Amino acid sequence: MISFNFGGIKWTGMTNNLINITFPNKEKDKQSQGETSIPELKSAESRKYTDYKTPLGGSSIGMISEFESDIRVYLFIEKSKEGSAWNLIAPIVKCVHTDEVYDFDISCFALEGCGGGLSNTDSIFYHASKLKNKGYKVYITSRVIDNELLKAYQYIDSNIKLKDLLENSIKLVNYRKNEFIYIHKKFNELATKYGILTV
């Protein structure tokens, strides 16, 4: 039996000409050093999330112009098309002064096509501009995100928070490929049309 440790590689023994070598777990080391990582999500088969949030639908968009706060609007865009012809969007509105967060239904919004999804997204910009005209600061950002993470956020008992979505997504401006070139163009068109600041 031989024991050998060099630079994190540990040689734990030799028997019958077989060698056991253990390499350091870099992922575990990163987590112990406080680095952030994507929250561990349950697979579709083992998902036990049951406490589904009640998101706001298209009929609730008008409440945006009634807020008495600066707001940040996050448009989280599915990275992959799934069950739809479009990459769907989950809008989340955060009131800056109160930290209140309002989640809108992912199935109601898109930046593609010419139907209800695009019309509802246009309405978000419209009502955000009405709030801006009252003197409040309004910012809208679009971000591309993994579908599974966005789905998990829809459940309270997944413990996925807005900050997790922000940390594990990429700005649309930095993800312009394939259909996202068109999505980015539509986003900019709406921002220009309503004079909304994008970040």
Side-chain angles (χ1 to χ4, degrees):
M1 178 77 169
I2 298 173
S3 184
F4 176 77
N5 191 333
F6 180 75
I9 300 174
K10 187 177 181 183
W11 187 353
T12 57
M14 183 188 334
T15 57
N16 297 333
N17 296 327
L18 294 176
I19 299 173
N20 269 337
I21 298 178
T22 306
F23 291 90
N25 186 337
K26 290 182 181 177
E27 200 59 42
K28 195 172 184 179
D29 291 344
K30 282 181 187 176
Q31 290 175 356
S32 66
Q33 294 171 7
E35 291 185 20
T36 58
S37 62
I38 295 175
E40 188 175 326
L41 302 176
K42 300 173 185 177
S43 68
E45 301 81 38
S46 67
R47 189 179 293 134
K48 302 282 192 229
Y49 309 141
T50 57
D51 199 359
Y52 192 75
K53 296 176 183 176
T54 306
L56 300 167
S59 61
S60 300
I61 297 170
M63 70 188 296
I64 293 171
S65 58
E66 302 303 319
F67 290 133
E68 294 183 2
S69 171
D70 299 342
I71 64 167
R72 287 188 176 271
V73 179
Y74 302 98
L75 301 179
F76 288 101
I77 306 165
E78 287 182 328
K79 196 171 187 178
S80 308
K81 290 179 172 68
E82 201 172 288
S84 170
W86 316 121
N87 296 74
L88 297 177
I89 296 172
I92 298 174
V93 179
K94 180 177 180 180
C95 294
V96 174
H97 298 134
T98 62
D99 276 342
E100 290 179 310
V101 174
Y102 297 87
D103 304 316
F104 285 83
D105 191 349
I106 190 170
S107 65
C108 297
F109 301 89
L111 276 166
E112 301 171 80
C114 57
L118 181 60
S119 176
N120 282 339
T121 305
D122 185 284
S123 291
I124 286 178
F125 279 85
Y126 169 74
H127 286 285
S129 72
K130 285 181 71 175
L131 184 64
K132 181 195 72 153
N133 292 339
K134 291 180 181 179
Y136 292 102
K137 292 179 184 172
V138 174
Y139 300 96
I140 296 185
T141 187
S142 54
R143 303 184 70 89
V144 179
I145 191 164
D146 178 77
N147 291 33
E148 286 303 311
L149 184 59
L150 195 54
K151 279 183 197 169
Y153 177 77
Q154 310 300 315
Y155 292 85
I156 296 169
D157 53 349
S158 70
N159 293 317
I160 303 295
K161 308 295 182 195
L162 175 58
K163 72 176 183 63
D164 297 313
L165 301 186
L166 292 170
E167 289 172 1
N168 295 288
S169 60
I170 183 170
K171 286 185 179 180
L172 176 60
V173 70
N174 298 121
Y175 198 83
R176 284 175 289 164
K177 52 181 82 172
N178 303 322
E179 65 269 19
F180 290 98
I181 295 171
Y182 176 79
I183 292 170
H184 183 256
K185 182 181 174 192
K186 291 303 290 182
F187 176 75
N188 282 338
E189 284 175 6
L190 290 174
T192 302
K193 176 180 175 182
Y194 292 108
I196 299 290
L197 289 173
T198 59
V199 291

